[in-house]
Amino acid sequence: MDRETFHNCCSLVKMPRQIKQQHCSSHFIEYIEKEIPYTKFFKNYLIPNHPCMFSKRFTEDWNCRKNWVTDEGKPNFQRLLHEFDDTPVPVANCNAKEYNSNPKQIMPFKEFIQYWREYIQNGHSSPKGCLYLKDWHMHRNFTDHNNYKTPIYFSSDWLNEYWDTIEVDDYRFVYMGPKGSWTPFHADVFRSYSWSANICGRKKWLLYPPGQEEFFRDCHGNLAYDVTAPVLQDKGLYAQFEEACQPLEIIQEAGEIIFVPSGWHHQVYNLEDTISINHNWLNGCNLDIMWEFLQNELSSVQREIEEWRDTMDTWHQHCQVIMKSCTGIDYGEFASFLKTIANNRISYLNSCPRNADHYQGHLAESLLALGPHHAAFDLQRVLYIFESMLNNEDFKRLDLTDLSFKPEELLQVIRDAIRIIV
């Protein structure tokens, strides 16, 4: 990020989200044929939270595009088996519904490939149903395979930066599914961004901008499982369905990468036998959306167990526990998440420029590529959200001695670091 972009974005740090998103409901998607400056992607897509599609040029040098795909553009089962063989993988049954998703089982990779081959030979059908290998943490388990490289446009990735740091989880996935496999209507974890690259095959995406999902709730408040299902025509059950806009319908070809903005609900179909790589990610541009999502999730939990508020001394702590079990994070861990992101950028800024050559590793490469002004923007966003948290009544009720740091002291360190750049 250059100095001009940094100063232009400073005014956006505290801008209400609805102002930034007023142009986001247009029903078109911009196509990026060749490389553009990072600052253009930042200003035209990240900040306004607008979708786009990258051409196959951006993946043509990936090893997986060469090794996982036959000359005919089909999945290279033989090469895939050689690479992954008995590896346990998560496989969903697209023909079964469990709450608002598909039930999963763990099976050896080679067993899934055998099923897939038989499924194709049987005219894309099977008595086992339509099985879909999805949410597989391939990158975490095969870090040395070097199958692909995250484009710089998606490299400011706080979500995976944090989970890599604590070595607990990650949000990098591989999907492999036959023609006809699909993913039900949903928005991504923590209302994060996502990018999805088709290694082979084609997908159809139905995308809805933030807020449209409310028209797909039934009379009980439950979100629709399939936005194309005839049951949505039942006005007694889905009273607001007719008010929904038409989806942004996108066909994604082999090699293309789609950028799905934060909070955009979507439903996705594999039109052919398809392999894709997907990352969930977030950064300073959509951090406020994650914070709003967490507040809404906590409010939902509080409403559900409101009747026990006066009978439990630890009611507020229990709400945090329940929220974490449902979403994967609570307010305390969110604070630790922000601290990790801030400390990494402060360390980077302190090393610039005299010790830049000694600042090494994957994270260091990303920070160096994006530059000190991007780090300063990140810190401004962390500062803004942290100040909001400290004024939040539910956060105030936490036992802050459980944190490994003092928030007020960290905020002062952040302010000092920003001052050096500004």
Side-chain angles (χ1 to χ4, degrees):
M1 179 187 289
D2 55 37
R3 181 182 293 274
E4 180 183 357
T5 302
F6 168 69
H7 285 296
N8 288 340
C9 291
C10 285
S11 61
L12 297 173
V13 168
K14 298 184 180 181
M15 184 182 291
R17 173 56 64 171
Q18 60 267 27
I19 294 177
K20 285 186 281 185
Q21 289 197 336
Q22 61 183 350
H23 301 297
C24 283
S25 58
S26 302
H27 290 283
F28 70 95
I29 186 167
E30 295 180 14
Y31 194 79
I32 301 174
E33 179 66 38
K34 56 185 179 180
E35 285 192 17
I36 60 173
Y38 175 83
T39 53
K40 184 174 182 180
F41 178 74
F42 186 90
K43 290 187 288 187
N44 291 1
Y45 304 102
L46 287 183
I47 290 290
N49 205 41
H50 195 81
C52 64
M53 183 81 78
F54 291 83
S55 75
K56 63 182 180 181
R57 290 187 183 186
F58 292 87
T59 63
E60 62 186 4
D61 61 344
W62 289 6
N63 289 332
C64 60
R65 288 269 290 141
K66 303 168 186 176
N67 299 331
W68 294 3
V69 186
T70 66
D71 293 339
E72 294 75 32
K74 305 296 183 181
N76 190 332
F77 294 136
Q78 185 173 348
R79 180 58 185 259
L80 289 166
L81 282 171
H82 175 75
E83 204 165 329
F84 301 116
D85 194 26
D86 281 320
T87 303
V89 293
V91 176
N93 187 343
C94 296
N95 293 357
K97 178 182 177 183
E98 189 174 83
Y99 300 104
N100 251 34
S101 60
N102 307 121
K104 288 181 185 174
Q105 59 178 312
I106 302 297
M107 67 170 61
F109 182 80
K110 65 181 182 182
E111 185 176 322
F112 174 74
I113 294 298
Q114 180 182 350
Y115 155 83
W116 197 352
R117 281 173 160 164
E118 293 173 354
Y119 189 86
I120 294 172
Q121 292 168 0
N122 199 36
H124 287 89
S125 65
S126 170
K128 297 179 181 178
C130 183
L131 303 187
Y132 192 3
L133 189 163
K134 60 193 306 186
D135 300 326
W136 175 30
H137 297 268
M138 187 275 295
H139 182 276
R140 187 176 68 195
N141 298 325
F142 297 89
T143 55
D144 59 339
H145 276 216
N146 193 30
N147 281 308
Y148 67 97
K149 183 177 182 180
T150 301
I152 189 172
Y153 311 106
F154 317 133
S155 62
S156 179
D157 178 355
W158 299 8
L159 198 59
N160 288 299
E161 176 182 335
Y162 173 70
W163 263 271
D164 285 350
T165 299
I166 63 175
E167 298 181 336
V168 171
D169 203 354
D170 76 340
Y171 289 90
R172 307 177 185 94
F173 306 106
V174 169
Y175 284 57
M176 298 186 183
K179 176 182 177 180
S181 52
W182 69 295
T183 299
F185 191 55
H186 71 287
D188 289 316
V189 59
F190 308 138
R191 297 302 179 263
S192 59
Y193 298 133
S194 69
W195 64 264
S196 178
N198 270 6
I199 307 309
C200 66
R202 304 169 74 233
K203 289 181 184 287
K204 181 172 80 171
W205 294 75
L206 304 179
L207 270 74
Y208 292 86
Q212 286 294 309
E213 70 277 4
E214 296 306 317
F215 301 125
F216 294 94
R217 294 192 183 278
D218 64 18
C219 57
H220 306 291
N222 300 312
L223 201 63
Y225 170 74
D226 177 0
V227 294
T228 68
V231 69
L232 271 72
Q233 303 290 339
D234 184 344
K235 294 182 179 180
L237 193 57
Y238 291 93
Q240 294 183 286
F241 171 66
E242 292 185 350
E243 299 177 44
C245 69
Q246 290 299 307
L248 177 57
E249 184 171 323
I250 302 161
I251 303 299
Q252 180 188 14
E253 303 291 345
E256 294 179 337
I257 308 175
I258 187 172
F259 165 62
V260 181
S262 191
W264 283 59
H265 281 67
H266 47 283
Q267 188 163 306
V268 191
Y269 302 86
N270 289 326
L271 303 179
E272 300 175 356
D273 297 312
T274 302
I275 299 175
S276 64
I277 291 173
N278 306 54
H279 283 206
N280 294 118
W281 56 297
L282 59 86
N283 56 35
C285 298
N286 63 340
L287 183 64
D288 59 317
I289 297 179
M290 180 181 183
W291 172 226
E292 181 181 5
F293 166 73
L294 293 178
Q295 292 176 82
N296 291 338
E297 288 295 295
L298 181 61
S299 294
S300 296
V301 172
Q302 290 172 337
R303 287 193 297 271
E304 286 293 321
I305 63 171
E306 175 66 31
E307 61 186 289
W308 290 288
R309 179 192 288 262
D310 297 329
T311 64
M312 299 172 62
D313 293 336
T314 58
W315 184 82
H316 290 286
Q317 289 87 337
H318 273 78
C319 288
Q320 292 285 334
V321 170
I322 294 172
M323 182 181 76
K324 183 168 184 176
S325 70
C326 295
T327 65
I329 196 170
D330 58 17
Y331 280 14
E333 184 161 20
F334 183 56
S336 296
F337 164 77
L338 295 179
K339 168 184 171 287
T340 297
I341 300 304
N343 283 345
N344 287 341
R345 278 136 194 82
I346 291 168
S347 295
Y348 162 65
L349 291 174
N350 287 340
S351 73
C352 293
R354 61 186 184 280
N355 294 321
D357 291 341
H358 301 289
Y359 199 67
Q360 300 177 348
H362 175 73
L363 172 60
E365 289 179 12
S366 296
L367 293 175
L368 287 167
L370 297 173
H373 289 100
H374 202 298
F377 172 81
D378 292 350
L379 289 173
Q380 280 197 332
R381 294 296 286 162
V382 170
L383 180 64
Y384 173 57
I385 297 300
F386 236 134
E387 288 174 341
S388 174
M389 289 181 68
L390 291 176
N391 290 319
N392 179 275
E393 292 302 320
D394 290 303
F395 186 76
K396 290 178 182 178
R397 294 188 180 99
L398 298 182
D399 185 357
L400 297 184
T401 59
D402 291 339
L403 298 178
S404 61
F405 64 100
K406 295 181 179 179
E408 291 289 358
E409 292 181 2
L410 176 61
L411 292 187
Q412 189 55 51
V413 174
I414 294 174
R415 294 186 187 103
D416 292 341
I418 295 173
R419 196 175 296 119
I420 295 173
I421 297 295
V422 176

